[in-house]
Amino acid sequence: MNAFIFPGQGAQFKGMVQDFCSENESLLQIIKEAEKISNRSVTKILWETELSELSRSDNSQLAITVASIVIINALKNRGIESDICAGFSLGEFSALYDSGVLSFEDTIKLVTERGNIMQKVCDNLSEKSEGNLLGMMAILGLPLEQIESLIEPLSKKGIAFVANINSPKQTVVSGTYEGLEECEKIFKDSGARRVVRLKVAGPFHSPLMKDAAVEFEKVLESVNFNNPQKILLSNVTGKIITTGEEAKKLAVKHLTCPVCWTEEEKVISELFEKSEGKNSLYEVGPGTVLSGLWRDSGYGENLPCIPCGKFEQISEL
């Protein structure tokens, strides 16, 4: 049984999948098709855009999704396809594509619209905050329950929220500039091993993105979501998605609800335990963040996650 896990925003880097396209020119056609659909120069975004600009939601969401789809096809060329699909944050749209819920065209259209909407909302929030950027922060070395307790007063004020439950060792919070400043002091004073600001454009997976959810729901109205053809997991519930209708509803909640990644990892591990054949886990997209989270959660002791973000990493699979 093969599981593909897809990274989200923050995994981007200049030059994504350029090596794949150099090795196999047919993969470049995927990018060219994405350019026609999105009406944007995806090759320029992928290969020429500096990280500061690439980190904007309207650039990174399209770029990371296209890169992940290129790698899906590179693996397929080597006879490797998924039985289980799970995506972290934005990566869930790559999982929706890989599981057959969304067509290629609809996937590209939706991540383009989603990135534009989210960037607009982030810009508006920043403007209201007098130019102070809202964002996300990773906390290492404090348990989830303690983090939830520490920021409860800030959540009630609407300035900081638990956003990503990444591993037993790492939780991410979203917040306003004021909220993250307060969080940093609170977590350090409480003994956090590290507190790290993330290279993302806004306070994702929190109620601060409610305006984006309202606008994105309108975009989804005319889009067909098929029933999954593979096992597909949800960030919002941490469980298996059974219908296209459910997937569409969760795609809206996805913008304002936390990412329950540890729950998804648990389901993948349980599915592997029940499987009678060989099991493999692949991180399909740029970076190695998800491979590290799998290891940190303890599941990597029996089965490591194979990163596939560079051609050399899959050349001998």
Side-chain angles (χ1 to χ4, degrees):
M1 181 172 278
N2 294 331
F4 284 6
I5 54 178
F6 301 96
Q9 281 183 259
Q12 66 272 1
F13 61 88
K14 183 181 178 182
M16 288 183 286
V17 298
Q18 193 165 12
D19 50 348
F20 285 87
C21 295
S22 297
E23 293 289 335
N24 186 341
E25 194 172 326
S26 68
L27 297 174
L28 182 60
Q29 295 309 308
I30 295 169
I31 300 176
K32 294 300 183 183
E33 284 300 311
E35 290 185 329
K36 291 177 186 176
I37 296 165
S38 65
N39 197 29
R40 298 202 62 195
S41 178
V42 181
T43 49
K44 183 175 181 180
I45 299 171
L46 284 168
W47 301 341
E48 299 177 27
T49 305
E50 298 299 331
L51 188 58
S52 58
E53 188 70 12
L54 184 57
S55 296
R56 286 175 56 91
S57 289
D58 48 3
N59 290 327
S60 61
Q61 295 205 21
L62 177 59
I64 291 168
T65 304
V66 172
S68 296
I69 292 174
V70 166
I71 298 170
I72 289 171
N73 282 272
L75 289 169
K76 188 175 182 179
N77 290 342
R78 298 182 117 69
I80 301 170
E81 298 189 54
S82 63
D83 303 291
I84 305 167
C85 308
F88 186 96
S89 188
L90 164 71
E92 194 156 288
F93 282 83
S94 299
L96 289 169
Y97 163 77
D98 191 40
S99 63
V101 172
L102 290 175
S103 67
F104 175 74
E105 182 174 359
D106 284 339
T107 301
I108 300 304
K109 284 180 178 178
L110 286 182
V111 295
T112 302
E113 285 291 328
R114 186 177 185 269
N116 291 339
I117 289 168
M118 290 174 68
Q119 188 60 52
K120 182 177 72 173
V121 169
C122 291
D123 289 343
N124 289 341
L125 288 170
S126 177
E127 188 176 339
K128 290 177 183 177
S129 185
E130 298 179 347
N132 293 315
L133 295 176
L134 296 79
M136 304 179 81
M137 172 186 292
I139 303 93
L140 289 77
L142 292 179
L144 173 63
E145 295 76 13
Q146 185 178 2
I147 291 170
E148 289 176 327
S149 176
L150 287 170
I151 71 165
E152 185 177 2
L154 302 182
S155 297
K156 288 180 177 177
K157 288 170 65 176
I159 59 174
F161 305 88
V162 169
N164 299 346
I165 305 166
N166 287 354
S167 78
K169 298 179 181 179
Q170 184 185 130
T171 301
V172 172
V173 300
S174 283
T176 63
Y177 178 82
E178 175 194 358
L180 293 180
E181 287 287 301
E182 291 194 38
C183 281
E184 188 164 12
K185 184 177 187 307
I186 290 170
F187 295 139
K188 286 181 176 178
D189 289 348
S190 299
R193 184 162 54 86
R194 288 183 68 201
V195 178
V196 183
R197 298 287 181 106
L198 303 183
K199 49 183 180 181
V200 296
F204 306 141
H205 302 291
S206 79
L208 291 165
M209 297 301 295
K210 64 182 184 300
D211 289 348
V214 170
E215 194 167 343
F216 191 54
E217 186 172 21
K218 296 173 184 175
V219 173
L220 293 180
E221 287 176 0
S222 60
V223 179
N224 182 50
F225 278 60
N226 303 307
N227 292 334
Q229 301 303 304
K230 303 176 181 181
I231 297 170
L232 172 66
L233 302 180
S234 164
N235 285 176
V236 175
T237 65
K239 303 182 188 308
I240 295 172
I241 298 172
T242 56
T243 68
E245 182 181 358
E246 180 187 8
K248 181 182 280 194
K249 290 178 180 177
L250 290 171
V252 178
K253 292 183 178 180
H254 194 248
L255 288 165
T256 56
C257 292
V259 173
C260 299
W261 190 247
T262 55
E263 290 299 310
E264 291 182 71
E265 289 182 318
K266 181 181 177 183
V267 173
I268 292 171
S269 177
E270 290 171 349
L271 289 168
F272 280 166
E273 287 177 6
K274 294 175 184 176
S275 171
E276 296 181 358
K278 179 186 176 183
N279 297 315
S280 297
L281 178 66
Y282 303 89
E283 181 171 3
V284 182
T288 59
V289 171
L290 301 185
S291 299
L293 295 182
W294 178 259
R295 182 185 62 246
D296 288 347
S297 294
Y299 300 116
E301 293 179 11
N302 299 320
L303 181 71
C305 180
I306 303 167
C308 302
K310 296 184 177 179
F311 182 78
E312 64 183 11
Q313 292 171 320
I314 74 161
S315 58
E316 302 197 6
L317 292 177

